[in-house]
Amino acid sequence: MQSSQPQFRPTVIRSSSLAIAAALVMIVPFVTAPGRVSAQEHATQGEQTKQHKVLMIAGARSHGYGAHEHYAGLKMLEESVLEASDNVTVEVVRGWPKDASKIDSADAIVVYSDGGKRHVAMDHRDEIREVLQRGGGLVALHYAVEMLPGESGEEWTDLLGGHFEVDYSVNPHWVAEFQSLPDHPVASNVKPFHAEDEWYFHMRFSDKGKVTPLLQAVAPEETMRRADGPHSGNPSVRKSVAAGELQTVAWAFEPETGGRAVGFTGGHYHWNWAQEPMRRLVTNAIRWAAGDKVEPNAEPLPSVTTEDLLENQDYPKPDSFDMDKIKSKFELSVAS
């Protein structure tokens, strides 16, 4: 291989020029040629322009029009991430990719799918562990925070920092009031908000690594109206709600073994992605998990339109669908 350094021929320097040459040798190392940057500046610029690769994995279609819209929701989040940062690339796929290089090259994996035995990452926990251990990130949205009780659930707790545990956690639909947010990059530029969704709570959190609650709210008594069941209620959660304890429905996690993870239990209703604070929080989560720097004092994300919400859904729009009712129910400000 040829050297990239320029080659010079020997030059004879007259003795009368020796003093001038010596002076130049002393001066040149301290002068930066026009159009060039120092090694330190080059390193800084390289860090600022590094492209963080995000792979978003959508699970199979699930609940019907407007709910658990995994692919459509991820496509909206893709647009928000690209709007928020020039340093991130995003690829959205349906199902776990057969091409292993997509996982190997990803700086963060985002999983939005059904949970339990239908979890898209059920048989790929080792691959996600490798992503985290090499400094990458994981984001799990809504039902994807739940695996099966036992080994998979325990491993998901270690990877994600929290887990929906059957017969311990619950999944009611309720309006959560998020009155304050922590000082954390994922919460940057997120204003207090409220939203009706299927906010899971009473999660099982890891006692290893660092768990930071991101969204917390007091669950109203109506969340306990259902009879006890695997997802609906149990004595432990009833005691917690009766005591008025704050329930964590989104969190950031820094595992002891490395990497970053975020769990977000909202996302049942596709329409809530029109809420700028909610979309901003998850956008930040994806960027943070991928290693991108989330800047403070950013401008709000662009508003979404009705067309944005209706695109890419897994089911055809019902004849009875009424967008005006959706806007009213979820208090959305959406352009037609």
Side-chain angles (χ1 to χ4, degrees):
M1 181 182 292
Q2 294 184 343
S3 170
S4 60
Q5 298 298 319
Q7 302 297 311
F8 295 99
R9 294 183 178 181
T11 303
V12 177
I13 302 176
R14 296 180 180 275
S15 58
S16 60
S17 304
L18 204 53
I20 297 174
L24 287 173
V25 169
M26 295 297 292
I27 293 172
V28 168
F30 299 98
V31 177
T32 301
R36 296 190 178 186
V37 296
S38 68
Q40 182 177 358
E41 290 173 329
H42 185 273
T44 300
Q45 290 180 0
E47 183 66 25
Q48 290 174 344
T49 58
K50 178 182 177 181
Q51 291 295 302
H52 304 278
K53 183 175 180 180
V54 173
L55 177 65
M56 297 183 173
I57 303 174
R61 68 179 192 169
S62 177
H63 277 48
Y65 192 74
H68 288 226
E69 289 287 355
H70 306 131
Y71 184 77
L74 289 178
K75 291 299 289 183
M76 291 188 68
L77 290 169
E78 175 188 25
E79 290 299 317
S80 292
V81 170
L82 297 178
E83 286 280 355
S85 177
D86 294 327
N87 303 326
V88 179
T89 62
V90 180
E91 181 178 6
V92 183
V93 299
R94 292 181 183 270
W96 195 267
K98 294 181 179 179
D99 182 355
S101 67
K102 292 183 182 295
I103 304 296
D104 295 339
S105 63
D107 293 303
I109 306 293
V110 182
V111 181
Y112 195 9
S113 77
D114 281 354
K117 63 183 179 181
R118 287 168 54 85
H119 202 297
V120 74
M122 175 60 72
D123 298 324
H124 304 281
R125 302 189 302 276
D126 288 344
E127 295 162 65
I128 289 178
R129 184 179 295 104
E130 291 176 2
V131 172
L132 290 168
Q133 289 178 345
R134 61 178 161 81
L138 167 67
V139 178
L141 305 176
H142 197 48
Y143 201 178
V145 303
E146 178 189 334
M147 284 203 175
L148 295 174
E151 182 182 1
S152 68
E154 292 169 3
E155 289 189 1
W156 205 234
T157 303
D158 291 340
L159 297 173
L160 187 62
H163 174 240
F164 184 106
E165 183 177 302
V166 172
D167 291 318
Y168 181 79
S169 307
V170 291
N171 65 350
H173 291 241
W174 54 294
V175 177
E177 299 273 355
F178 305 117
Q179 299 178 355
S180 63
L181 291 98
D183 182 14
H184 190 280
V186 176
S188 291
N189 313 301
V190 180
K191 298 179 180 179
F193 69 103
H194 65 272
E196 178 177 347
D197 210 314
E198 187 183 26
W199 298 106
Y200 305 160
F201 65 89
H202 206 239
M203 311 295 288
R204 182 71 74 183
F205 290 106
S206 175
D207 57 3
K208 305 171 187 176
K210 181 181 179 182
V211 176
T212 302
L214 297 171
L215 293 179
Q216 292 185 306
V218 174
E221 292 182 7
E222 65 196 46
T223 60
M224 294 290 99
R225 287 179 179 173
R226 299 178 295 173
D228 284 356
H231 293 79
S232 57
N234 56 76
S236 179
V237 70
R238 292 186 188 283
K239 181 178 178 181
S240 177
V241 171
E245 295 177 350
L246 283 171
Q247 307 295 339
T248 298
V249 302
W251 63 91
F253 181 52
E254 296 169 68
E256 291 178 345
T257 54
R260 297 159 301 280
V262 176
F264 177 82
T265 74
H268 175 88
Y269 293 116
H270 180 65
W271 321 115
N272 275 329
W273 295 122
Q275 291 235 33
E276 198 277 345
M278 180 165 152
R279 198 166 78 260
R280 166 71 75 179
L281 183 103
V282 178
T283 296
N284 288 349
I286 294 167
R287 294 177 60 195
W288 179 75
D292 190 27
K293 183 178 180 180
V294 181
E295 66 286 341
N297 304 318
E299 292 294 322
L301 292 171
S303 298
V304 302
T305 66
T306 298
E307 183 180 359
D308 294 329
L309 286 171
L310 300 183
E311 278 187 329
N312 299 308
Q313 294 205 41
D314 290 329
Y315 294 88
K317 184 172 64 173
D319 293 338
S320 60
F321 179 77
D322 188 332
M323 193 66 204
D324 288 334
K325 288 184 178 179
I326 293 294
K327 291 180 182 179
S328 176
K329 176 179 172 63
F330 294 96
E331 302 180 34
L332 305 181
S333 210
V334 181
S336 299

Short mmCIF file of all heavy atoms in Angstrom, two decimals, residues 52 58 60 77 101 129 145 151 159 204 223 227 260 264 303 314 323:
data_model
loop_
_atom_site.label_atom_id
_atom_site.label_comp_id
_atom_site.label_asym_id
_atom_site.label_seq_id
_atom_site.Cartn_x
_atom_site.Cartn_y
_atom_site.Cartn_z
N HIS A 52 -26.19 7.72 13.56
CA HIS A 52 -26.66 6.67 14.44
C HIS A 52 -27.78 5.92 13.72
O HIS A 52 -28.78 6.52 13.32
CB HIS A 52 -27.17 7.26 15.76
CG HIS A 52 -26.15 8.10 16.47
ND1 HIS A 52 -25.17 7.57 17.25
CD2 HIS A 52 -25.95 9.44 16.48
CE1 HIS A 52 -24.42 8.54 17.74
NE2 HIS A 52 -24.87 9.68 17.28
N ALA A 58 -41.69 -3.65 13.44
CA ALA A 58 -43.14 -3.67 13.68
C ALA A 58 -43.64 -5.10 13.75
O ALA A 58 -43.28 -5.94 12.92
CB ALA A 58 -43.87 -2.91 12.55
N ALA A 60 -46.86 -8.00 13.92
CA ALA A 60 -47.99 -8.32 13.03
C ALA A 60 -49.21 -7.48 13.38
O ALA A 60 -49.33 -6.94 14.49
CB ALA A 60 -48.33 -9.80 13.14
N LEU A 77 -43.21 7.84 13.78
CA LEU A 77 -42.06 8.11 14.63
C LEU A 77 -40.79 8.27 13.81
O LEU A 77 -39.91 9.07 14.14
CB LEU A 77 -41.89 6.99 15.66
CG LEU A 77 -42.97 6.97 16.75
CD1 LEU A 77 -42.88 5.67 17.55
CD2 LEU A 77 -42.84 8.18 17.68
N SER A 101 -27.44 -8.77 9.41
CA SER A 101 -26.61 -7.56 9.38
C SER A 101 -27.39 -6.32 9.80
O SER A 101 -26.79 -5.34 10.25
CB SER A 101 -26.04 -7.35 7.97
OG SER A 101 -27.07 -7.05 7.03
N ARG A 129 -29.51 -8.43 23.59
CA ARG A 129 -28.51 -8.31 24.65
C ARG A 129 -27.15 -7.90 24.06
O ARG A 129 -26.43 -7.07 24.63
CB ARG A 129 -28.37 -9.63 25.41
CG ARG A 129 -27.40 -9.56 26.60
CD ARG A 129 -27.31 -10.87 27.35
NE ARG A 129 -28.59 -11.18 27.98
CZ ARG A 129 -29.45 -12.09 27.54
NH1 ARG A 129 -29.16 -12.78 26.44
NH2 ARG A 129 -30.58 -12.32 28.17
N VAL A 145 -43.69 -4.30 25.96
CA VAL A 145 -43.04 -4.35 27.27
C VAL A 145 -43.37 -5.65 28.01
O VAL A 145 -42.86 -5.90 29.10
CB VAL A 145 -43.41 -3.14 28.16
CG1 VAL A 145 -43.05 -1.82 27.48
CG2 VAL A 145 -44.89 -3.16 28.55
N GLU A 151 -38.74 -17.20 32.42
CA GLU A 151 -37.43 -16.85 31.87
C GLU A 151 -37.48 -15.64 30.95
O GLU A 151 -36.68 -14.71 31.09
CB GLU A 151 -36.84 -18.04 31.12
CG GLU A 151 -35.45 -17.77 30.56
CD GLU A 151 -34.90 -18.95 29.78
OE1 GLU A 151 -35.61 -19.97 29.68
OE2 GLU A 151 -33.76 -18.84 29.27
N LEU A 159 -33.08 -6.54 30.39
CA LEU A 159 -32.72 -5.80 29.19
C LEU A 159 -33.38 -4.44 29.12
O LEU A 159 -32.75 -3.44 28.75
CB LEU A 159 -33.09 -6.61 27.94
CG LEU A 159 -32.39 -7.95 27.76
CD1 LEU A 159 -33.00 -8.71 26.59
CD2 LEU A 159 -30.90 -7.76 27.55
N ARG A 204 -43.01 -4.49 36.91
CA ARG A 204 -41.93 -5.12 37.67
C ARG A 204 -40.62 -4.53 37.18
O ARG A 204 -40.22 -4.74 36.04
CB ARG A 204 -41.93 -6.63 37.46
CG ARG A 204 -40.87 -7.35 38.27
CD ARG A 204 -41.18 -7.35 39.75
NE ARG A 204 -42.25 -8.27 40.07
CZ ARG A 204 -42.74 -8.42 41.30
NH1 ARG A 204 -42.27 -7.69 42.31
NH2 ARG A 204 -43.73 -9.28 41.52
N THR A 223 -59.67 2.62 37.53
CA THR A 223 -58.79 1.63 36.89
C THR A 223 -58.88 0.27 37.58
O THR A 223 -58.39 -0.73 37.03
CB THR A 223 -57.32 2.11 36.92
OG1 THR A 223 -56.90 2.29 38.27
CG2 THR A 223 -57.16 3.40 36.14
N ALA A 227 -62.63 -7.18 37.71
CA ALA A 227 -62.31 -8.24 38.66
C ALA A 227 -60.83 -8.62 38.54
O ALA A 227 -60.17 -8.33 37.52
CB ALA A 227 -63.19 -9.45 38.38
N ARG A 260 -28.44 1.47 26.65
CA ARG A 260 -29.52 2.32 27.14
C ARG A 260 -30.84 1.71 26.67
O ARG A 260 -30.91 1.18 25.56
CB ARG A 260 -29.40 3.74 26.59
CG ARG A 260 -28.14 4.48 27.02
CD ARG A 260 -27.81 5.63 26.08
NE ARG A 260 -27.63 5.15 24.71
CZ ARG A 260 -26.51 4.60 24.28
NH1 ARG A 260 -25.47 4.45 25.07
NH2 ARG A 260 -26.43 4.17 23.01
N PHE A 264 -42.05 2.24 27.22
CA PHE A 264 -43.15 3.20 27.10
C PHE A 264 -44.43 2.39 26.96
O PHE A 264 -44.59 1.63 25.99
CB PHE A 264 -42.94 4.10 25.88
CG PHE A 264 -44.05 5.08 25.63
CD1 PHE A 264 -44.11 6.27 26.32
CD2 PHE A 264 -45.04 4.80 24.69
CE1 PHE A 264 -45.14 7.18 26.07
CE2 PHE A 264 -46.07 5.69 24.45
CZ PHE A 264 -46.12 6.89 25.15
N SER A 303 -46.62 19.64 13.42
CA SER A 303 -47.92 19.01 13.66
C SER A 303 -48.18 17.94 12.60
O SER A 303 -47.71 18.05 11.46
CB SER A 303 -49.03 20.05 13.63
OG SER A 303 -48.85 21.00 14.65
N ASP A 314 -52.85 -1.05 9.12
CA ASP A 314 -52.94 -2.46 8.72
C ASP A 314 -54.34 -2.86 8.25
O ASP A 314 -54.49 -3.88 7.57
CB ASP A 314 -52.55 -3.36 9.89
CG ASP A 314 -51.07 -3.28 10.21
OD1 ASP A 314 -50.27 -3.06 9.27
OD2 ASP A 314 -50.69 -3.45 11.39
N MET A 323 -63.56 11.02 11.82
CA MET A 323 -62.35 11.67 12.32
C MET A 323 -62.66 12.79 13.29
O MET A 323 -61.90 13.03 14.24
CB MET A 323 -61.51 12.23 11.15
CG MET A 323 -60.10 12.65 11.56
SD MET A 323 -59.10 11.24 12.07
CE MET A 323 -57.89 12.05 13.13
#
